[in-house]
Amino acid sequence: ETGVTQTPRHLVMGMTNKKSLKCEQHLGHNAMYWYKQSAKKPLELMFVYSLEERVENNSVPSRFSPECPNSSHLFLHLHTLQPEDSALYLCASSQVRTYSDTQYFGPGTRLTVL
Amino acid sequence: EDQVTQSPEALRLQEGESSSLNCSYTVSGLRGLFWYRQDPGKGPEFLFTLYSAGEEKEKERLKATLTKKESFLHITAPKPEDSATYLCAVQAADSGGSNYKLTFGKGTLLTVNP
């Protein structure tokens, strides 16, 4: 595997289900991100983990819960979601430096909440 | 608040018809400007990073330029395989030391007809 991988690629869940999204980066980076992409909207940053510590939570509802057990793996735990949470969820990673760094994205998980 | 506006929202070109996409930005201090390409149902693919006004970068039929207020993505003699959504994002200098946050535009959907 190379780059950033995400599983599953597609997920359909009911509002009462609990599921998890998984992301793995094979780039040796030290920061990982979750983004939400909805139709006609810019990418929205949800969570950032830098050096395995969560450094920003962009006022995301508590029904989304991130977990970063090490610098290569990132999870997004989902529970009691709403239909408006249906979107493409993207994971990204980067090497945090003192100057600008580039974020590399995974293929995304297309989530549908019924 | 950082802002990114991309225009046009959609652009249709004939194969071989050169054109440019625009990304206007407002940021307190620019650390970097990024261009990504995104195919339907996939994650954004990194194209270029520009750091300072006057900088230019090229890759195959694409050339990105940067001024103090905007960036252009020039597409020379496009082919149907260049059809995609092109995303622009800015990374702002942050006095708090965080250098990870990207602010994205909504993107330009490019369609190149054979």
Side-chain angles (χ1 to χ4, degrees), chain B:
Chain B
E1 184 178 333
D2 303 333
Q3 288 190 328
V4 176
T5 303
Q6 291 188 246
S7 61
E9 290 186 13
L11 180 63
R12 284 186 175 274
L13 300 174
Q14 288 299 121
E15 185 173 1
E17 179 187 3
S18 301
S19 187
S20 297
L21 312 182
N22 177 262
C23 172
S24 297
Y25 64 90
T26 304
V27 65
S28 55
L30 182 68
R31 194 181 285 271
L33 184 140
F34 301 81
W35 282 99
Y36 289 86
R37 168 194 170 127
Q38 186 173 24
D39 293 302
K42 297 187 177 181
E45 175 189 344
F46 170 70
L47 294 174
F48 303 108
T49 308
L50 301 168
Y51 294 102
S52 57
E55 188 175 2
E56 299 182 353
K57 289 194 176 175
E58 289 187 66
K59 179 181 179 181
E60 297 181 353
R61 296 177 292 281
L62 300 177
K63 178 180 177 181
T65 61
L66 180 65
T67 72
K68 290 186 178 180
K69 295 184 177 181
E70 58 191 350
S71 176
F72 290 94
L73 185 65
H74 306 279
I75 303 176
T76 302
K79 298 182 178 182
E81 52 262 42
D82 295 322
S83 298
T85 295
Y86 290 85
L87 302 174
C88 173
V90 295
Q91 190 173 54
D94 186 330
S95 59
S98 58
N99 63 347
Y100 51 80
K101 183 176 180 180
L102 291 182
T103 300
F104 280 86
K106 293 183 179 180
T108 294
L109 174 61
L110 174 66
T111 303
V112 182
N113 296 315

Side-chain angles (χ1 to χ4, degrees), chain A residues 49-61:
Chain A
Y49 278 84
S50 178
L51 302 174
E52 300 172 35
E53 179 182 348
R54 193 164 82 192
V55 296
E56 179 164 336
N57 173 351
N58 259 12
S59 302
V60 177

